[in-house]
């Protein structure tokens, strides 16, 4: 039986490009106040909107600093916070995270997010025979459940701790390996991420989220041809993957390769992925 874990895909820290731009900024004190954040969540299920909440989590303390329901049209308004990095979340009625994005409060004032359709018409993802045949021991499953619990509470170190304990019991568990790699990438630790992502890839080389994370790893390492290779593989496995399309566009632009193709990829996802919209805007000629 295949168990779907809670972190199947890396949500990049704003974007590869935006992170480079932020590195060039002065680092203001935490006493400085950023911008209020307004925005709109779009969903094909209008009834769903009334059940959703948006949250802002301080990345340093993992504390929820702002929490708000959506209005009837999906709009929201979050108050200004001290300048720094935050995690923006859309949370479902059962407390499940539907969308995550890391933002910088000094530069973000508006977000528009289109939630994907719940029932996609695309074919289900192909899973490798090795992954299908794998049986997860009970003790490893207990560690996965604990990791899931702590991740949902915003405690990444504890989540990693329990995944490592699970890996010690069950080193061939694809979900443990892939999620460990994703969490290390989330913590901006690509060197620790790669061995886990690579081991997961050896078990299932066609898994779309893991290939997207490998693309992100190579982007961190400035190896954009490899980043392109894994982003393209991810997109072949799942043409609906917003993050794979974004990583493919970034890797093409960084190589100065097929800029029109990169723009097309960004244009297709800009309504549902704010970094794509921001990157498109940055590519416009300066007046």
């Amino acid at each position: 039986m295949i168990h779907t874990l809670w972190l199947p895909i890396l949500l990049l820290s704003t974007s590869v490009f935006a992170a480079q731009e932020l590195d060039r900024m002065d680092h203001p004190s935490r006493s400085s106040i950023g911008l209020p954040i307004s925005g709109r969540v779009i969903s094909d299920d209008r009834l769903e909107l009334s059940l959703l909440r948006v949250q802002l989590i301080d990345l340093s303390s993992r504390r929820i600093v702002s929490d708000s329901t959506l209005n009837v049209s999906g709009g929201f308004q979050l108050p200004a916070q001290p300048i720094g990095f935050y995690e923006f979340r859309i949370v479902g009625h059962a407390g499940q995270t539907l969308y995550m994005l890391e933002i910088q409060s000094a530069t973000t004032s508006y977000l528009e997010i289109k939630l994907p359709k719940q029932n996609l018409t695309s074919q289900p993802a192909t899973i490798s025979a090795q992954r299908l045949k794998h049986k997860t021991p009970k003790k490893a499953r207990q560690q996965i459940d604990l990791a899931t619990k702590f991740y949902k509470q915003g405690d990444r170190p504890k989540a990693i701790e329990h995944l490592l304990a699970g890996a010690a019991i069950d080193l061939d568990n694809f979900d443990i390996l892939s999620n460990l790699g994703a969490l290390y990438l989330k913590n901006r630790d690509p060197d620790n991420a790669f061995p886990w992502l690579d081991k997961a890839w050896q078990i299932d080389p066609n898994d779309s989220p893991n290939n997207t994370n490998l693309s992100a790893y190579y982007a961190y390492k400035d190896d954009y041809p490899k980043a392109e290779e894994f982003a393209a593989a991810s997109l072949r496995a799942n043409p609906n993957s917003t993050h794979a399309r974004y990583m493919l566009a970034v890797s093409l632009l960084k190589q100065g390769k097929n800029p029109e193709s990169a723009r097309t990829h960004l244009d297709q996802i800009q309504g549902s992925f704010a970094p794509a919209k921001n990157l498109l805007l940055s590519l416009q000629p300066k007046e």
Side-chain angles (χ1 to χ4, degrees), residues 171-189:
L171 190 54
D172 294 321
N173 187 297
F174 175 89
D175 287 334
I176 290 176
L177 301 170
S178 183
N179 280 282
L180 267 171
L183 273 176
Y184 278 123
L185 276 181
K186 189 80 170 163
N187 284 349
R188 300 180 178 86
D189 188 356

Side-chain angles (χ1 to χ4, degrees), residues 53-237:
R53 306 183 67 83
V54 292
Q55 297 177 340
L56 210 57
I57 293 93
D58 186 303
L59 283 181
S60 59
S61 67
R62 302 306 305 170
R63 183 172 60 91
I64 297 174
V65 296
S66 186
D67 185 311
S68 176
T69 56
L70 303 179
N71 64 30
V72 291
S73 62
F76 62 87
Q77 178 83 37
L78 300 174
Q81 300 293 333
I83 288 177
F85 288 93
Y86 295 84
E87 185 173 271
F88 172 84
R89 286 184 184 176
I90 301 174
V91 181
H93 68 281
Q96 74 276 28
T97 299
L98 303 177
Y99 179 90
M100 289 191 298
L101 175 68
E102 288 187 15
I103 62 172
Q104 221 275 10
S105 60
T107 58
T108 304
S109 61
Y110 184 81
L111 294 169
E112 184 172 284
I113 301 100
K114 187 176 191 314
L115 294 177
K117 293 181 180 179
Q118 296 298 312
N119 298 313
L120 297 175
T121 57
S122 57
Q123 294 182 347
T126 302
I127 298 174
S128 70
Q130 183 180 352
R131 190 172 162 192
L132 279 171
K133 290 188 294 185
H134 182 78
K135 304 296 182 184
T136 302
K138 182 178 179 180
K139 289 185 177 180
R141 170 52 50 190
Q142 290 172 343
Q143 294 299 324
I144 291 172
D145 291 342
L146 286 168
T148 304
K149 170 188 170 183
F150 283 108
Y151 177 75
K152 288 181 177 178
Q153 293 175 356
D155 191 338
R156 288 186 204 164
K158 274 289 188 182
I160 289 174
E161 178 184 323
H162 285 289
L163 284 177
L164 288 171
I169 300 166
D170 187 12
L171 190 54
D172 294 321
N173 187 297
F174 175 89
D175 287 334
I176 290 176
L177 301 170
S178 183
N179 280 282
L180 267 171
L183 273 176
Y184 278 123
L185 276 181
K186 189 80 170 163
N187 284 349
R188 300 180 178 86
D189 188 356
D191 291 330
N192 269 327
F194 179 74
W196 303 106
L197 296 174
D198 186 58
K199 176 66 174 174
W201 181 84
Q202 292 177 44
I203 294 171
D204 192 346
N206 295 315
D207 183 78
S208 178
N210 196 67
N211 278 329
T212 299
N213 286 340
L214 279 165
S215 176
Y217 164 78
Y218 283 109
Y220 271 118
K221 293 297 184 179
D222 295 326
D223 187 344
Y224 291 102
K226 290 291 284 185
E228 177 191 353
E229 176 186 331
F230 281 100
S234 178
L235 206 55
R236 285 195 297 271

Side-chain angles (χ1 to χ4, degrees), residues 249-261:
V250 168
S251 60
L252 290 173
L253 290 169
K254 292 295 285 186
Q255 294 177 83
K257 180 179 175 182
N258 297 336
E260 288 308 311
S261 176

Side-chain angles (χ1 to χ4, degrees), residues 35-55:
L35 302 167
I37 302 172
S38 62
R40 181 168 168 248
V41 178
I42 303 168
S43 173
D44 291 326
D45 184 351
R46 298 296 298 274
L47 293 176
E48 178 188 38
L49 290 175
S50 63
L51 303 174
L52 304 183
R53 306 183 67 83
V54 292
Q55 297 177 340

